[in-house]
Amino acid sequence: MGTAVCYFTIAVELALPFAILSARPWVRKANTLALEAMHVGIMVCMGLVCFGLLMIGADCTCLRDDDYRSLARRLRTLKERLLPRGWSPLPARGMSPVAIAAGQDGVADA
């Protein structure tokens, strides 16, 4: 199992330049997703949180603006399917989360 994971990691890392130059957006997205999963695994298993976050940020630079737009459209349609219409994470009165945490009048206790 360890050998397979190592070879998969090498293959994904070597495929990165080809994915960046690819005309197919699904190749870039799949490669970036695999790299991000690998770095999340590094954060969880090895405890290298700062390294993992920095590398995830660096991996996200491989995506183009159109890729981010299509991901935003997908997330928006997923949100519309899962959440009922008119649902809001904020209370109906429109209080901000800071005002909710502080109290009814919005003034924090000293």
Side-chain angles (χ1 to χ4, degrees):
M1 184 69 167
T3 304
V5 169
C6 289
Y7 277 121
F8 178 74
T9 301
I10 297 294
V12 169
E13 290 285 346
L14 289 175
L16 181 64
F18 301 107
I20 292 172
L21 297 174
S22 175
R24 295 185 171 97
W26 67 269
V27 173
R28 286 188 302 274
K29 292 176 193 174
N31 194 327
T32 304
L33 182 65
L35 287 171
E36 289 179 5
M38 180 183 65
H39 289 115
V40 166
I42 289 172
M43 288 179 357
V44 170
C45 294
M46 297 176 70
L48 300 172
V49 178
C50 290
F51 170 78
L53 291 174
L54 285 171
M55 291 307 295
I56 286 173
D59 292 339
C60 288
T61 60
C62 300
L63 296 176
R64 297 179 184 168
D65 290 342
D66 295 334
D67 298 333
Y68 282 112
R69 286 188 198 101
S70 70
L71 288 171
R73 279 194 305 270
R74 269 187 204 217
L75 288 175
R76 200 173 310 122
T77 57
L78 182 67
K79 178 183 154 192
E80 290 172 359
R81 286 183 188 173
L82 294 178
L83 297 178
R85 294 200 185 267
W87 183 84
S88 174
L90 294 177
R93 296 188 315 171
M95 289 177 61
S96 69
V98 174
I100 293 170
Q104 294 294 338
D105 57 358
V107 177
D109 296 330

